[in-house]
Amino acid sequence: MNVKNIVNKNNYSCFENMIYNLANIYNCGYRYIFMDSWSFFYNSASDISLDENICDNRDSIESINDHQINLLKSHHGINIEWLFPNNMSEFIYDTVNENTVLVAEIDMQDIRWYKPNQVYDVNHYFIIMYNDELNGLYCLDSLFSASLQKLEIEDIMKIKKIGLVKLCVPNKVYEPDFNQVLKHAANACNNGNGLISDFQMMKVFANDLTDDKKASRIYKPKQIDSFTILRKIHYIYNGRYNFHELLETINCIDYEYKKFILGQLTEIIAKWQLINNFFIKWAYSRKDSILDTIANKLFEASVLEENLTKNILSSTL
């Protein structure tokens, strides 16, 4: 199995880049994995630091990938089954061939072919495939390499779990239309964590940023690339961008309504880009006064998102 183009999408996580390249390999779609990417979660009640309490998923960070796998299977017919073989190397060499690929989870600190990002202590994902032309097993990791990386035994020894990729019949007999996707997302934002909406959680997070005691608990490492909160805010910003891209690909019977919705989302994305940029500025300067500016932008973003959600749910389309 040969891959002509290894593509890295800057607005995708490593897991989403892995799915994107899998879809290219199998000539399948993938866009519906972003059905729930317009989201925000913050747990103010927890005693751990603010950056550990925020994520772009309403349940938990760990469940994001599993949820996207379910969407990939049900809408696009690609299934990933996670396995924990006793003999990892034997399983990989026995399974991967010209027609079968695997996906792997590894700690980012253990990535041999990309040293700069080894400061992160998070999971990373890539594809393991057999390449006919090179006659061997190789890793496809578009986030960190523009070329295939030969799979070495030292890489295999550091793999935490392996995913068997299989094509299947999608569970959905038809794809949801523009309005169904939109109202599904709006309802999810409105319901939030079941107690308060995403918008209310955004406001609580903004208030906590201006609380000196709580803000002081944000992890502030020496290396800028190690800031957990920067990575999470970037994911939240990207989630809205990816949801916008999904909607662009879906037909709508009312062109003007679609144009209006995409315009409103573009304004929200621009607001989150500002929030993202201010967080970067704060991380470099270490000036906590910038957190007040970020809090104000978060309030503005929450109002924009709440108003758009009300508009969507009141629509008669």
Side-chain angles (χ1 to χ4, degrees):
M1 188 176 291
N2 298 326
V3 178
K4 294 182 179 179
N5 296 312
I6 300 175
V7 180
N8 172 43
K9 303 275 283 185
N10 291 330
N11 49 308
Y12 291 0
S13 67
C14 63
F15 190 81
E16 292 159 354
N17 264 295
M18 181 192 75
I19 288 178
Y20 176 82
N21 282 284
L22 276 179
N24 282 344
I25 290 171
Y26 289 108
N27 196 27
C28 296
Y30 72 96
R31 288 283 190 187
Y32 281 96
I33 68 168
F34 296 118
M35 276 186 64
D36 294 303
S37 67
W38 177 13
S39 62
F40 183 90
F41 176 83
Y42 177 65
N43 180 13
S44 180
S46 174
D47 290 332
I48 59 177
S49 62
L50 269 66
D51 44 319
E52 293 297 330
N53 286 331
I54 183 176
C55 73
D56 58 334
N57 181 273
R58 297 178 186 91
D59 300 316
S60 69
I61 296 172
E62 289 75 18
S63 67
I64 297 173
N65 296 342
D66 289 338
H67 183 58
Q68 288 188 321
I69 287 175
N70 289 333
L71 291 173
L72 184 68
K73 178 182 179 181
S74 61
H75 289 280
H76 302 293
I78 302 178
N79 185 40
I80 299 174
E81 179 187 359
W82 290 116
L83 303 170
F84 301 87
N86 292 327
N87 191 321
M88 185 69 76
S89 60
E90 182 179 305
F91 176 81
I92 290 174
Y93 283 110
D94 287 348
T95 304
V96 179
N97 54 46
E98 293 88 343
N99 302 308
T100 305
V101 303
L102 296 171
V103 296
E105 177 184 288
I106 192 172
D107 194 296
M108 194 173 283
Q109 291 180 328
D110 293 328
I111 301 171
R112 173 179 51 82
W113 50 86
Y114 195 78
K115 301 296 182 183
N117 264 55
Q118 289 187 328
V119 293
Y120 280 135
D121 184 20
V122 295
N123 292 330
H124 181 65
Y125 302 87
F126 56 85
I127 299 170
I128 300 174
M129 59 189 300
Y130 180 86
N131 186 273
D132 304 338
E133 296 174 353
L134 300 173
N135 191 28
L137 297 188
Y138 285 80
C139 306
L140 191 164
D141 183 359
S142 65
L143 193 64
F144 296 142
S145 177
S147 60
L148 293 174
Q149 295 290 324
K150 186 172 177 58
L151 185 69
E152 304 287 357
I153 190 65
E154 62 181 285
D155 304 318
I156 294 175
M157 298 304 294
K158 293 174 181 177
I159 291 174
K160 297 164 70 174
K161 65 180 180 180
I162 204 79
L164 182 62
V165 181
K166 290 184 178 180
L167 296 184
C168 59
V169 178
N171 297 339
K172 305 295 182 182
V173 294
Y174 65 91
E175 296 299 351
D177 63 26
F178 184 88
N179 202 46
Q180 288 173 322
V181 172
L182 200 56
K183 290 203 170 185
H184 167 83
N187 271 314
C189 289
N190 206 41
N191 293 333
N193 63 3
L195 298 174
I196 61 175
S197 69
D198 285 10
F199 328 114
Q200 289 172 295
M201 282 189 277
M202 288 165 62
K203 291 173 182 175
V204 173
F205 177 59
N207 281 326
D208 284 356
L209 282 177
T210 61
D211 184 315
D212 292 341
K213 184 178 179 181
K214 291 184 177 181
S216 65
R217 294 206 304 265
I218 300 176
Y219 176 54
K220 301 172 186 176
K222 292 181 179 179
Q223 292 176 283
I224 193 74
D225 288 342
S226 300
F227 270 83
T228 302
I229 200 164
L230 296 188
R231 178 163 41 85
K232 291 185 176 182
I233 293 297
H234 195 64
Y235 285 164
I236 293 167
Y237 160 61
N238 281 343
R240 282 144 180 77
Y241 186 91
N242 295 334
F243 182 71
H244 182 282
E245 278 198 337
L246 167 63
L247 290 181
E248 284 184 311
T249 66
I250 306 175
N251 291 328
C252 179
I253 57 173
D254 189 332
Y255 172 78
E256 290 301 322
Y257 179 65
K258 179 177 180 178
K259 183 179 177 181
F260 167 76
I261 293 296
L262 292 178
Q264 292 295 297
L265 279 171
T266 298
E267 189 176 349
I268 288 168
I269 291 166
K271 189 68 69 175
W272 274 98
Q273 186 175 30
L274 276 176
I275 293 168
N276 183 66
N277 291 344
F278 273 118
F279 262 114
I280 294 171
K281 184 177 180 180
W282 163 78
Y284 273 107
S285 68
R286 312 296 171 110
K287 294 180 180 179
D288 286 347
S289 59
I290 297 175
L291 294 177
D292 293 333
T293 303
I294 294 172
N296 289 332
K297 297 301 177 186
L298 280 165
F299 274 110
E300 292 171 7
S302 70
V303 172
L304 286 175
E305 295 196 14
E306 186 169 16
N307 288 342
L308 178 57
T309 298
K310 288 178 180 178
N311 186 296
I312 292 169
L313 295 179
S314 64
S315 170
T316 56
L317 280 181

